[in-house]
Amino acid sequence: MSRAEPPPARSRDVPGAQAAGAAPAPADTAAPVPADTAPRTARPLWSLGLLRSELVVTFRRWRTLALLAVLAAVPILVGIAVKIETSDGGSIGGGGGEGGPAFLSQITNNGLFLVFTSLAATLPFFLPMTVGVIAGDAVAGEAGAGTLRYLLVAPAGRTRLLLVKFTTVLVFCLVATVTVAVSALVTGALLFPTGEVTLLSGTTVSFGEGLLRALAIAVTVALSLAGLAALGLFVSTLTNSGIAAMTATVGLLITVQILGTIPQLDEIHPFLFSHYWLSFADLLRDPVYWDDLLRNLGLQGLYTAVFASAAWARFGGRDITA
């Protein structure tokens, strides 16, 4: 009987596989990896080598680079549109509300506000969509490519592998958010004046303090995506199809966003993971309004605990056949 070729190697070797001299089993004779066959020898839960390898694989994919490129393009398009709209000395935006419109009206006075406008514009859909794609593909993509079983045979250990996958998704959340912020900062500085920043409360602070607040906002936005990242990771453990997991995660995101716009469902709105996403605007007040910010972080922590635990329970008891 002819032996089938093993699945194509990822851009990294499975840690420990070559050292152990273990060759991949033929695809047509390999048995599933039961949940109770984890090695008995003690291994550290964390592995910087495994994490570094996972980060390299994730951020070298063309899909990841394309998603980051789209995010970086949004602030450029917004900045150019505002510049064209105000080229005749007119104004843009109402400037009387919270979030995006208030930020939009301030861009021509200070390019730093393009950072806040871009984050407000991408947070409802573009940013979480990219996170949903990466999180949904984290485990299911490995299974669909036929490399998940070999990662476990290495052995990486189920808990350690899942922890590395989730950490990689969280790193992507931060990188995606910073990509939007840096692109907006550069575009804003090139197209508009910069200087002292007038906060939403009317207080004026130095440009340096404005940059620090922008950094705090970027970190807050990244943390706001943690709940969705955990949800996507859980969905990823339910299927062997990366496409199905990504579609389901993005579909859940859209469903939650729709539910959040229905006034008759205002009773459940505070429990939706996206409800407090735009609370980062409170960091542009003096003093800072902490109530909604803390509610947002607490809600993300709750979603993370629930769905990360569910992902661990599902992945730990699953027979790996791919």
Side-chain angles (χ1 to χ4, degrees):
M1 181 174 60
S2 61
R3 298 172 63 88
E5 291 293 331
R10 307 174 72 193
S11 59
R12 58 168 164 80
D13 294 327
V14 177
Q18 292 182 348
D28 56 345
T29 60
V33 180
D36 58 354
T37 58
R40 303 298 180 183
T41 56
R43 298 191 311 274
L45 183 63
W46 191 248
S47 171
L48 290 179
L50 183 61
L51 175 61
R52 181 174 61 251
S53 179
E54 187 65 31
L55 289 172
V56 169
V57 169
T58 298
F59 285 97
R60 278 186 176 178
R61 287 175 177 153
W62 283 108
R63 177 179 60 217
T64 305
L65 296 177
L67 291 174
L68 293 176
V70 170
L71 290 175
V74 172
I76 299 175
L77 295 177
V78 173
I80 293 175
V82 173
K83 186 67 174 180
I84 294 175
E85 182 71 16
T86 59
S87 60
D88 58 354
S91 61
I92 188 170
E98 299 291 336
F103 297 148
L104 192 62
S105 65
Q106 294 287 340
I107 292 177
T108 54
N109 298 324
N110 195 319
L112 184 60
F113 274 88
L114 183 59
V115 176
F116 314 135
T117 301
S118 299
L119 289 174
T122 56
L123 186 53
F125 183 71
F126 288 107
L127 265 174
M129 183 196 69
T130 61
V131 173
V133 169
I134 299 299
D137 189 60
V139 176
E142 297 280 8
T147 55
L148 183 58
R149 178 162 46 87
Y150 297 100
L151 281 174
L152 295 176
V153 169
R158 292 176 184 244
T159 300
R160 181 167 59 162
L161 179 61
L162 195 66
L163 183 60
V164 165
K165 291 285 186 182
F166 185 52
T167 302
T168 301
V169 178
L170 293 181
V171 171
F172 177 82
C173 292
L174 181 60
V175 170
T177 305
V178 170
T179 297
V180 174
V182 171
S183 175
L185 180 61
V186 173
T187 304
L190 291 176
L191 297 180
F192 306 102
T194 56
E196 292 186 335
V197 180
T198 302
L199 304 179
L200 296 181
S201 56
T203 307
T204 300
V205 299
S206 65
F207 184 73
E209 182 174 341
L211 284 176
L212 291 178
R213 289 181 184 250
L215 177 60
I217 285 175
V219 173
T220 300
V221 171
L223 292 176
S224 298
L225 299 170
L228 176 63
L231 174 61
L233 186 68
F234 170 63
V235 173
S236 188
T237 63
L238 301 178
T239 177
N240 289 338
S241 171
I243 298 296
M246 289 185 285
T247 303
T249 304
V250 175
L252 288 172
L253 166 66
I254 296 173
T255 301
V256 168
Q257 295 286 55
I258 293 175
L259 292 176
T261 63
I262 301 176
Q264 291 79 4
L265 299 178
D266 58 353
E267 294 288 338
I268 69 171
H269 289 173
F271 302 100
L272 302 178
F273 57 75
S274 62
H275 183 66
Y276 296 106
W277 274 355
L278 294 180
S279 63
F280 72 80
D282 290 338
L283 288 170
L284 290 176
R285 302 185 186 276
D286 189 19
V288 174
Y289 294 173
W290 291 104
D291 291 348
D292 284 351
L293 286 167
L294 295 178
R295 289 191 186 100
N296 178 41
L297 295 179
L299 188 63
Q300 302 308 320
L302 178 61
Y303 269 86
T304 299
V306 171
F307 286 104
S309 298
W312 176 78
R314 165 62 180 167
F315 191 59
R318 173 181 171 184
D319 285 345
I320 306 300
T321 58

